[in-house]
Amino acid sequence: MVVRRDSAVGEQGPSGAKKTAKKTNASPSAATAERTPPATEPAAGKSAPARKAAKAAKPAKTAKPESPTALVRRARRINRELAEVYPYAHPELDFENPFQLIVATVLSAQTTDLRVNQTTPALFAKYPTPEDLAEADPEEVEEILRPCGFFRAKTKSVIGLSKALVENHKGEVPGRLEDLVKLPGVGRKTAFVVLGNAFGRPGITVDTHFQRLVRRWKWTEETEPDKIEAAIGALFPKSEWTMLSHHVIFHGRRICHARKPACGACPIAPLCPAYGEGETDPEKAKKLLKYEKGGFPGQRLKPPQSYLDAGGIPAPPLGAAG
């Protein structure tokens, strides 16, 4: 039999004799009291720190997941609110025809729409058609596109694009997605910009602003553009896709910035699960607003009249002071 060393029975010595445990003067009641933990005080008698600790120990309530129906309703309400805030939302690239739009969109990669808008007037003045640009001297085009950055790669793309239009589409920009994405330098984002704004065919433009905001608003957890496009497309009627893209991108450029969103000046704050990530003080948030919302020039040199009527200011041409 295994015997505990502190047992009243004692422990077995080497010779087999039993060693009797030392007697104590403690009474049985005292021993019982020593083993018994002190009684818990009534809740009413707890000190303030104890009550606070007890409250903190309780598991936090888990927020109820948003149902698919609730998500659709919230997403559509946000779009309606943004439509009221930006009734003049539009593509922020200057263009007069599908060819100019597709070239400008290709050039907008890794630079601002403003810089593209300041560069394309000289490009289209010298090469107004796909035929002209297809036969252009690459070095001359590079010099024009230098302000856009990555000008050698972009020169190769727009000349290659122009040659493809001449050789495969009789010098016309095709109006089908499957044809557009086969052109040099054209992906789904560029294709939907062209389809939605040059041909009036609905498309979702998943640029960096769009990706950032739809995830911030918890419309989707997807990270790949194609999957984001599909997830957001399922929340809205197809007829709203193009203007939805403009609303979201406008908001991302003016108020819902990447690093410091102006939460205190945001018209959809009550609907935003990320409210509080940025500046919540109204006066401080107001100072973060950009473009027409902050009283500054926009990105287009030739913006729509509706934008000007709303207080928008045209962008300055390349090399202008300020």
Side-chain angles (χ1 to χ4, degrees), residues 3 48 53 68 70 111 129 136 145 151 188 198 202 225-226 237 243 307 312-313:
V3 182
T111 190
T129 68
L145 298 184
F151 58 90
R188 289 179 69 87
D226 290 1
M243 287 310 300
Y307 181 75
I313 304 171

Short mmCIF file of all heavy atoms in Angstrom, two decimals, residues 3 48 53 68 70 111 129 136 145 151 188 198 202 225-226 237 243 307 312-313:
data_model
loop_
_atom_site.label_atom_id
_atom_site.label_comp_id
_atom_site.label_asym_id
_atom_site.label_seq_id
_atom_site.Cartn_x
_atom_site.Cartn_y
_atom_site.Cartn_z
N VAL A 3 1.67 4.95 0.94
CA VAL A 3 1.24 5.80 2.06
C VAL A 3 1.83 7.17 1.90
O VAL A 3 3.00 7.32 1.58
CB VAL A 3 1.69 5.19 3.41
CG1 VAL A 3 1.21 6.05 4.56
CG2 VAL A 3 1.17 3.78 3.55
N ALA A 48 -15.18 48.10 -4.41
CA ALA A 48 -15.31 48.55 -5.80
C ALA A 48 -14.31 47.84 -6.72
O ALA A 48 -14.68 47.37 -7.79
CB ALA A 48 -15.14 50.07 -5.88
N ALA A 53 -13.30 43.82 -10.99
CA ALA A 53 -12.57 42.65 -11.46
C ALA A 53 -13.52 41.52 -11.83
O ALA A 53 -13.34 40.83 -12.83
CB ALA A 53 -11.59 42.18 -10.39
N PRO A 68 -26.76 37.63 -44.61
CA PRO A 68 -26.60 38.06 -46.01
C PRO A 68 -27.62 39.12 -46.41
O PRO A 68 -27.28 40.07 -47.12
CB PRO A 68 -26.82 36.76 -46.79
CG PRO A 68 -26.39 35.67 -45.85
CD PRO A 68 -26.83 36.15 -44.50
N ALA A 70 -29.09 41.32 -44.39
CA ALA A 70 -28.72 42.58 -43.72
C ALA A 70 -27.54 43.24 -44.41
O ALA A 70 -27.49 44.47 -44.53
CB ALA A 70 -28.40 42.31 -42.25
N THR A 111 0.46 55.61 -61.03
CA THR A 111 0.58 57.06 -60.97
C THR A 111 -0.82 57.62 -60.72
O THR A 111 -1.79 56.87 -60.61
CB THR A 111 1.18 57.64 -62.27
OG1 THR A 111 1.50 59.02 -62.07
CG2 THR A 111 0.21 57.53 -63.44
N THR A 129 -5.11 59.28 -83.25
CA THR A 129 -5.80 58.04 -83.61
C THR A 129 -4.91 56.82 -83.34
O THR A 129 -3.68 56.95 -83.20
CB THR A 129 -6.18 58.02 -85.10
OG1 THR A 129 -4.97 57.92 -85.88
CG2 THR A 129 -6.96 59.27 -85.48
N ALA A 136 4.13 55.55 -84.34
CA ALA A 136 4.94 56.58 -83.67
C ALA A 136 6.35 56.09 -83.37
O ALA A 136 6.61 54.89 -83.22
CB ALA A 136 4.26 57.00 -82.37
N LEU A 145 5.66 60.83 -72.39
CA LEU A 145 5.11 60.09 -71.25
C LEU A 145 6.03 60.09 -70.02
O LEU A 145 5.66 59.55 -68.98
CB LEU A 145 4.83 58.64 -71.65
CG LEU A 145 3.80 58.43 -72.77
CD1 LEU A 145 3.57 56.94 -72.97
CD2 LEU A 145 2.49 59.15 -72.45
N PHE A 151 7.88 55.26 -68.02
CA PHE A 151 7.50 55.74 -69.36
C PHE A 151 7.92 54.79 -70.47
O PHE A 151 7.26 54.74 -71.51
CB PHE A 151 8.06 57.15 -69.59
CG PHE A 151 9.55 57.26 -69.47
CD1 PHE A 151 10.37 57.08 -70.57
CD2 PHE A 151 10.13 57.57 -68.24
CE1 PHE A 151 11.75 57.20 -70.46
CE2 PHE A 151 11.50 57.68 -68.11
CZ PHE A 151 12.31 57.50 -69.22
N ARG A 188 -8.83 43.36 -66.52
CA ARG A 188 -10.26 43.49 -66.25
C ARG A 188 -10.62 44.88 -65.73
O ARG A 188 -11.65 45.45 -66.10
CB ARG A 188 -10.73 42.43 -65.26
CG ARG A 188 -10.74 41.02 -65.84
CD ARG A 188 -11.19 40.00 -64.81
NE ARG A 188 -12.60 40.15 -64.48
CZ ARG A 188 -13.59 39.57 -65.15
NH1 ARG A 188 -13.33 38.83 -66.21
NH2 ARG A 188 -14.84 39.74 -64.77
N ALA A 198 -17.30 54.41 -71.63
CA ALA A 198 -17.27 54.73 -73.06
C ALA A 198 -18.40 54.05 -73.83
O ALA A 198 -18.80 54.53 -74.88
CB ALA A 198 -15.92 54.32 -73.66
N PRO A 202 -22.42 48.12 -67.91
CA PRO A 202 -22.07 48.06 -66.48
C PRO A 202 -20.83 47.23 -66.19
O PRO A 202 -20.61 46.17 -66.79
CB PRO A 202 -23.31 47.43 -65.84
CG PRO A 202 -24.42 47.71 -66.79
CD PRO A 202 -23.80 47.65 -68.15
N PRO A 225 -8.73 40.72 -56.72
CA PRO A 225 -9.66 41.57 -57.47
C PRO A 225 -10.82 40.84 -58.12
O PRO A 225 -11.97 41.29 -58.04
CB PRO A 225 -8.75 42.23 -58.52
CG PRO A 225 -7.41 42.28 -57.85
CD PRO A 225 -7.32 41.02 -57.05
N ASP A 226 -10.55 39.70 -58.76
CA ASP A 226 -11.63 38.96 -59.42
C ASP A 226 -12.69 38.49 -58.43
O ASP A 226 -13.88 38.54 -58.71
CB ASP A 226 -11.06 37.75 -60.17
CG ASP A 226 -10.24 38.16 -61.39
OD1 ASP A 226 -10.11 39.37 -61.63
OD2 ASP A 226 -9.74 37.26 -62.10
N PRO A 237 -27.67 45.41 -58.04
CA PRO A 237 -28.16 45.17 -59.41
C PRO A 237 -27.07 45.55 -60.40
O PRO A 237 -26.31 46.50 -60.19
CB PRO A 237 -29.36 46.12 -59.52
CG PRO A 237 -29.75 46.42 -58.12
CD PRO A 237 -28.50 46.38 -57.32
N MET A 243 -21.79 53.22 -61.57
CA MET A 243 -21.87 54.36 -60.66
C MET A 243 -21.46 53.98 -59.24
O MET A 243 -20.89 54.80 -58.51
CB MET A 243 -23.29 54.93 -60.66
CG MET A 243 -23.63 55.71 -61.93
SD MET A 243 -22.39 56.96 -62.40
CE MET A 243 -22.39 58.03 -60.96
N TYR A 307 -19.74 68.71 -61.97
CA TYR A 307 -18.68 68.81 -60.96
C TYR A 307 -18.36 70.28 -60.66
O TYR A 307 -18.21 70.67 -59.50
CB TYR A 307 -17.44 68.09 -61.46
CG TYR A 307 -16.27 68.09 -60.51
CD1 TYR A 307 -16.25 67.26 -59.40
CD2 TYR A 307 -15.15 68.90 -60.74
CE1 TYR A 307 -15.16 67.25 -58.53
CE2 TYR A 307 -14.06 68.89 -59.89
CZ TYR A 307 -14.08 68.06 -58.79
OH TYR A 307 -12.99 68.05 -57.93
N GLY A 312 -16.57 72.16 -57.69
CA GLY A 312 -15.30 71.57 -58.08
C GLY A 312 -14.42 72.54 -58.85
O GLY A 312 -14.92 73.42 -59.57
N ILE A 313 -13.11 72.36 -58.70
CA ILE A 313 -12.14 73.23 -59.35
C ILE A 313 -11.30 72.39 -60.32
O ILE A 313 -10.81 71.33 -59.94
CB ILE A 313 -11.21 73.89 -58.31
CG1 ILE A 313 -12.03 74.64 -57.27
CG2 ILE A 313 -10.20 74.82 -58.99
CD1 ILE A 313 -11.20 75.13 -56.08
#
